Amino acid sequence: LKADSLIAVDTRPFAANQNDPGLITTDKTVVIMTEKSRYSLTENVSVTIENKMERAIEIFLSCGNKPFLYLFKQENTEWKKLDPFPQKKCAKVSYVLKSGEKFTSLLDLHSMYTMGPYVEETVIPGNYKLNIEIGLPGSVNASGVFEASSNEFILEREE
């Protein structure tokens, strides 16, 4: 793992899925990381989601092949959740990530938050992180859903 990655672990037990109702697991480990720890405001942010669980996970994609992520900005000691970027206007589709697989995407956060008719938030220089909801294929209720957060990264003006 790179030094700028974060592993999200949720240790609450849950029923795995309807096809295997007797299986309870506490091993929910997913890594979500940006390629770098600093980006300029106009630079694409490369983010990778890696499934380190021993089973498949489900993430959501929208507007083509972009993961449906929430952006958080640090304000003093608190993290402010920005409105889901304009992808929220697109239909979300399920994508299964098998054990050991990775999914990488380039995100143009500046354009997503500053262009278009649906923009409700703006991206300015600061400290950020990304958050994604993760489910288990076939999960029948919300107890099979957890979240993973990325490493923190800085968006800054070009010098």
Side-chain angles (χ1 to χ4, degrees), residues 21-72:
L23 179 62
I24 302 293
T25 182
T26 58
D27 178 22
K28 295 192 278 186
T29 305
V30 175
V31 176
I32 176 171
M33 67 183 128
T34 59
E35 184 177 289
K36 302 185 317 186
S37 59
R38 298 179 92 82
Y39 291 89
S40 73
L41 278 173
T42 57
E43 188 177 2
N44 287 340
V45 174
S46 177
V47 62
T48 299
I49 302 160
E50 182 178 5
N51 179 8
K52 292 189 160 237
M53 292 180 60
E54 293 182 10
R55 62 182 318 129
I57 61 171
E58 182 177 51
I59 61 175
F60 292 97
L61 307 179
S62 63
C63 296
N65 63 349
K66 300 296 181 192
F68 192 85
L69 297 161
Y70 295 92
L71 184 66
F72 285 78

Side-chain angles (χ1 to χ4, degrees), residues 51 53 55-57 96-102:
N51 179 8
M53 292 180 60
R55 62 182 318 129
I57 61 171
V96 174
L97 198 59
K98 294 178 184 170
S99 178
E101 286 186 339
K102 295 179 182 180

Side-chain angles (χ1 to χ4, degrees), residues 8-9 14 22 41 59 86 93 121 123 126-127:
V9 180
F14 61 92
L41 278 173
I59 61 175
V93 296
E121 303 280 358
V123 173
N127 199 34

Side-chain angles (χ1 to χ4, degrees), residues 2-151:
K2 292 182 178 180
D4 62 351
S5 66
L6 178 76
I7 296 175
V9 180
D10 183 349
T11 59
R12 293 173 297 163
F14 61 92
N17 66 49
Q18 62 189 3
N19 299 323
D20 194 2
L23 179 62
I24 302 293
T25 182
T26 58
D27 178 22
K28 295 192 278 186
T29 305
V30 175
V31 176
I32 176 171
M33 67 183 128
T34 59
E35 184 177 289
K36 302 185 317 186
S37 59
R38 298 179 92 82
Y39 291 89
S40 73
L41 278 173
T42 57
E43 188 177 2
N44 287 340
V45 174
S46 177
V47 62
T48 299
I49 302 160
E50 182 178 5
N51 179 8
K52 292 189 160 237
M53 292 180 60
E54 293 182 10
R55 62 182 318 129
I57 61 171
E58 182 177 51
I59 61 175
F60 292 97
L61 307 179
S62 63
C63 296
N65 63 349
K66 300 296 181 192
F68 192 85
L69 297 161
Y70 295 92
L71 184 66
F72 285 78
K73 182 177 187 311
Q74 189 171 22
E75 294 182 355
N76 300 314
T77 59
E78 302 291 319
W79 287 96
K80 178 187 175 197
K81 182 178 180 180
L82 301 182
D83 189 57
F85 45 76
Q87 287 181 271
K88 70 181 183 182
K89 302 298 182 186
C90 299
K92 290 196 295 187
V93 296
S94 173
Y95 180 82
V96 174
L97 198 59
K98 294 178 184 170
S99 178
E101 286 186 339
K102 295 179 182 180
F103 182 91
T104 300
S105 185
L106 289 175
L107 305 175
D108 181 359
L109 296 177
H110 179 70
S111 292
M112 289 177 180
Y113 279 96
T114 59
M115 312 272 183
Y118 303 116
V119 175
E120 297 161 17
E121 303 280 358
T122 58
V123 173
I124 58 175
N127 199 34
Y128 291 86
K129 67 181 179 179
L130 297 162
N131 199 25
I132 189 168
E133 290 182 349
I134 297 165
L136 297 175
S139 182
V140 293
N141 57 40
S143 66
V145 176
F146 61 104
E147 295 183 351
S149 294
S150 74
N151 55 293

